[in-house]
Amino acid sequence: MVAAAAFPGERPLYLVSRASLRARLGRHGDRAVAGRVTDPAFLHEALKGGRGPVVVAAPSGQLGRVAAAVKEAAPDAPLLVLRDDDRPMSGATVVPLSAFGERIIQPAVDRAAQRVRADRLRAHFYDAERVLILMQDDPDPDAIASALALKTLLGRTRTSAPMCTFGTITRPENVAMCKILEIEVEAISAEDIAEFDRVAMVDVQPSFLEERFERVDLVIDHHPMEQPIDARIKDVRPSYGATSTILVEYLRAADIKITQRLATALLANHNALRRIERPELSHEALDVLAEGLAKRRVVQGVFFSHLGRVETMDLIPQFADFGLQAEGVQWSVVSGVVGDEVHVSVRNVGYVKSAGDVTRAAFGDLGVGGGHRTMAKAIFPVQKLGRGASEPGGGGVCQERIIYRFLRALGAGRPPEGPPS
């Protein structure tokens, strides 16, 4: 290809060696001239006064002669040569056919395969009266966007395919996101599963949940598989950074328009996302969090922090989410005293023991404790932690006893110290 001074979108001029090829290109509205493409005189005449890119078609064995003729006819024109290998050619930029296949053909093949998968997926759910789209217990923006994208792919309404969770949305910014975008997420129980004809999971896998399923029709996720997945259709891609990215590929392959609302949920519309307000923290709340961060302890892969007395229990799960981001941490256990009760929030990365089981074993004898695979909580009277816990300045005592109990229940080896008296 000879790239002359062209405007974007300007159609190329094809120089070909056969009249039949010229006629075929002409039927598609392309400009074409037939002649001896190795003849500098022909090329000079064809290129004279021309504008826009020029494509010269020639057998691979004649590429060298054609390139030399082009450079003689148009010495200042940049030349691009497509050939079998990447051997350099004087005065030209060489693109090997293998690169052409990787950049042009392979993406087209991948999209065709994705279209087949999308058609199969949609056909599986076509005759279902009600479809359950299930997320993890505390859905994050990726899960919410993925669920909305799947509902769009299936062409479903809120009634015929509700977006559900066994837990609840706790992070204020995620609650705000759903409110602003008018996304309804329903809380259901294990008994409600029988009301649906099909079950689809996004951004979660059956083994991540405490509930057991007789059947799962679809699992789309980007997390590594903890256990083999028993589902009629499964698409798990750990190399992807988000499940919603997988769903976008399905939508594009099926030529389904991504609406403004869905685009915003998929984090594509940054201006709309600025409207999702983060909760304001008072100076007192910031002081509490700062103290909790200063007194944090990471023991055997568990982030511990006791916030002491807090005005609102919302700070505790927020800080538990934050603690899970610490390097080398698989669990986050954050506690605080609200009134005369200790509230403990537990989070994990999702591929370890059930947070609900461990929390119940650690604190169930003191009050109430339990939850789901990746999140749990416990509430019990502060005096149940023993002598000194409820006294002024007893935060250190509370933290040590919570650490001991949790590590013992986790079975992570012997706690660093014996149980405080």
Side-chain angles (χ1 to χ4, degrees):
M1 175 181 287
V2 181
F7 289 103
E10 194 163 13
R11 298 177 75 94
L13 169 66
Y14 290 87
L15 305 183
V16 300
S17 58
R18 290 178 291 138
S20 59
L21 181 55
R22 180 192 61 190
R24 190 165 65 185
L25 289 166
R27 286 195 294 270
H28 290 85
D30 291 309
R31 298 181 302 148
V33 177
R36 291 181 57 196
V37 294
T38 57
D39 182 1
F42 164 73
L43 294 173
H44 181 79
E45 185 65 25
L47 297 173
K48 185 172 58 177
R51 292 177 57 185
V54 177
V55 177
V56 184
S60 59
Q62 299 182 13
L63 285 177
R65 293 170 58 194
V66 171
V70 168
K71 293 305 290 184
E72 182 179 340
D76 295 330
L79 181 63
L80 177 69
V81 175
L82 181 66
R83 61 183 301 168
D84 295 332
D85 52 54
D86 59 356
R87 285 178 298 156
M89 181 176 290
S90 177
T93 299
V94 175
V95 177
L97 283 171
S98 58
F100 181 78
E102 291 173 1
R103 299 171 189 173
I104 304 299
I105 298 175
Q106 190 59 49
V109 171
D110 292 341
R111 180 165 180 172
Q114 188 78 335
R115 178 184 288 274
V116 172
R117 289 194 291 267
D119 290 343
R120 177 189 169 201
L121 189 157
R122 297 170 75 187
H124 182 79
F125 289 90
Y126 178 76
D127 60 351
E129 185 174 342
R130 296 196 76 209
V131 176
L132 170 62
I133 300 179
L134 187 63
M135 300 170 284
Q136 65 259 42
D137 297 334
D138 188 6
D140 60 15
D142 184 33
I144 296 168
S146 299
L148 185 60
L150 178 60
K151 187 166 71 171
T152 302
L153 179 67
L154 299 179
R156 293 280 176 160
T157 64
R158 181 183 63 82
T159 303
S160 66
M163 299 162 50
C164 301
T165 173
F166 289 130
T168 184
I169 301 177
T170 62
R171 293 182 67 91
E173 59 266 40
N174 296 344
V175 174
M177 171 183 173
C178 290
K179 182 178 180 180
I180 291 171
L181 298 180
E182 298 181 347
I183 299 173
E184 286 199 38
V185 175
E186 300 180 19
I188 62 168
S189 65
E191 292 73 22
D192 296 326
I193 298 176
E195 300 177 5
F196 297 91
D197 304 297
R198 303 280 193 279
V199 176
M201 293 185 173
V202 292
D203 204 41
V204 71
Q205 301 171 27
S207 62
F208 296 177
L209 303 170
E210 291 188 339
E211 292 75 10
R212 293 295 170 255
F213 300 85
E214 291 185 8
R215 75 181 194 286
V216 175
D217 295 274
L218 171 68
V219 173
I220 300 179
D221 191 20
H222 77 106
H223 298 104
M225 284 193 294
E226 179 187 66
Q227 298 177 11
I229 297 174
D230 184 13
R232 289 170 173 81
I233 303 173
K234 51 182 177 286
D235 189 349
V236 179
R237 310 186 200 180
S239 62
Y240 279 52
T243 301
S244 57
T245 304
I246 304 173
L247 268 301
V248 167
E249 289 189 3
Y250 276 105
L251 292 169
R252 288 175 175 169
D255 292 323
I256 294 177
K257 180 181 179 181
I258 296 178
T259 64
Q260 183 74 16
R261 184 172 75 128
L262 177 55
T264 304
L266 291 166
L267 308 185
N269 189 327
H270 298 289
N271 290 330
L273 283 174
R274 292 192 186 100
R275 297 174 52 215
I276 300 176
E277 298 177 349
R278 286 185 169 271
E280 291 186 354
L281 294 175
S282 66
H283 293 294
E284 292 77 9
L286 290 173
D287 290 340
V288 170
L289 295 179
E291 184 175 355
L293 189 60
K295 295 181 178 179
R296 72 191 184 280
R297 289 185 60 188
V298 177
V299 185
Q300 300 177 33
V302 185
F303 176 97
F304 290 99
S305 180
H306 183 71
L307 304 181
R309 294 196 171 273
V310 296
E311 295 180 0
T312 170
M313 65 185 68
D314 292 342
L315 287 176
I316 300 171
Q318 286 183 49
F319 200 55
D321 290 334
F322 174 80
L324 200 58
Q325 300 177 45
E327 182 180 4
V329 163
Q330 291 186 316
W331 294 81
S332 176
V333 180
V334 176
S335 54
V337 178
V338 182
D340 59 356
E341 293 181 325
V342 175
H343 289 242
V344 183
S345 286
V346 178
R347 301 286 188 269
N348 69 32
V349 294
Y351 321 124
V352 289
K353 294 182 179 181
S354 166
D357 291 344
V358 176
T359 302
R360 190 179 301 109
F363 308 110
D365 62 319
L366 302 181
V368 294
H372 299 278
R373 181 79 192 179
T374 60
M375 57 179 293
K377 67 179 178 181
I379 303 175
F380 49 84
V382 64
Q383 60 264 29
K384 289 291 188 71
L385 283 177
R387 186 178 59 188
S390 58
E391 297 176 2
V397 175
C398 289
Q399 175 154 312
E400 291 301 324
R401 291 174 182 167
I402 288 171
I403 291 174
Y404 179 84
R405 278 179 162 269
F406 189 83
L407 292 179
R408 183 179 61 182
L410 185 61
R414 181 176 178 82
E417 299 176 1
S421 58

